[in-house]
Amino acid sequence: MNTSRGALLRKQFDLTWSLLDYHVQRLEPGDFLWEPAPLSWTVRPAADGTWAADWAEDEPDPVPVPTIGWLSWHIGWWWSVATDHVRGRAPRERAEITWPGDGEAAVAWLRGLRDDWLVALDGLGDGDLDATASFPVPDDPGFTVADTLAWVNAELMKNVAEIGQLRLIRAAQGSATGPL
């Protein structure tokens, strides 16, 4: 059987999404802002009523441990920008991507991002996959739309693993009968 590149990338995405969906279905509202370490990055209420993500232009050393809220914002940021690029829209700036809040709002946002991504993904043919892409690697003429789709799958898988691990650790701490 000869599977097209687009079909293969879609299968990989669907598998990755199923793992994210597995974890987000099991999240409790308190899981989103739980700080797993003294040095954590999270999302915080801003003066205007929106949520602002902790951020540094240069990665700090040591790297803060992200909260599930921060990771869900991070997914929303890079996924929104990736979708903008694939759909030929002007990409939004990081500060324009705001987190909707914890619990159901964050999960609904992620599901909406998935729906937007699938519209973009399903509209691409094999010829489109060969076009030069500028995200996430700008100024590299060898980087194609297919590379962008593969990057999205890899980045989502990484973030899913981080969310899943944090969810499991928090659940284990909540049910522990002795010191961890």
Side-chain angles (χ1 to χ4, degrees):
M1 177 189 275
N2 187 7
T3 303
S4 73
R5 290 176 299 150
L8 180 61
L9 288 164
R10 173 62 191 265
K11 284 180 186 179
Q12 185 184 48
F13 172 79
D14 289 340
L15 171 63
T16 303
W17 174 260
S18 72
L19 296 171
L20 177 62
D21 198 48
Y22 174 84
H23 288 295
V24 299
Q25 286 181 34
R26 289 157 179 80
L27 289 173
E28 300 293 329
D31 292 340
F32 286 87
L33 298 179
W34 172 67
E35 295 189 19
L39 179 59
S40 293
W41 268 357
T42 192
V43 285
R44 303 175 195 284
D48 65 0
T50 62
W51 291 85
D54 293 336
W55 186 259
E57 290 302 322
D58 296 315
E59 190 168 281
D61 184 21
V63 176
V65 178
T67 64
I68 291 173
W70 190 92
L71 288 164
S72 63
W73 164 80
H74 181 68
I75 291 169
W77 167 46
W78 63 253
W79 210 355
S80 295
V81 174
T83 303
D84 289 343
H85 278 274
V86 169
R87 295 187 85 179
R89 301 185 299 223
R92 288 166 271 182
E93 296 295 323
R94 178 182 44 79
E96 295 178 68
I97 310 297
T98 57
W99 191 63
D102 58 0
E104 291 181 21
V107 173
W109 184 50
L110 293 172
R111 289 188 173 131
L113 291 168
R114 174 190 177 264
D115 293 344
D116 290 346
W117 182 247
L118 290 178
V119 169
L121 188 63
D122 291 344
L124 298 173
D126 279 343
D128 300 314
L129 297 177
D130 293 329
T132 300
S134 60
F135 184 82
V137 181
D139 304 322
D140 181 351
F143 200 83
T144 67
V145 171
D147 293 317
T148 298
L149 303 184
W151 178 88
V152 165
N153 289 345
E155 184 70 13
L156 186 59
M157 179 64 74
K158 176 187 77 75
N159 289 152
V160 168
E162 292 166 323
I163 288 170
Q165 189 67 25
L166 287 169
R167 184 185 72 79
L168 293 171
I169 290 169
R170 179 165 160 84
Q173 286 182 345
S175 63
T177 57
L180 293 177

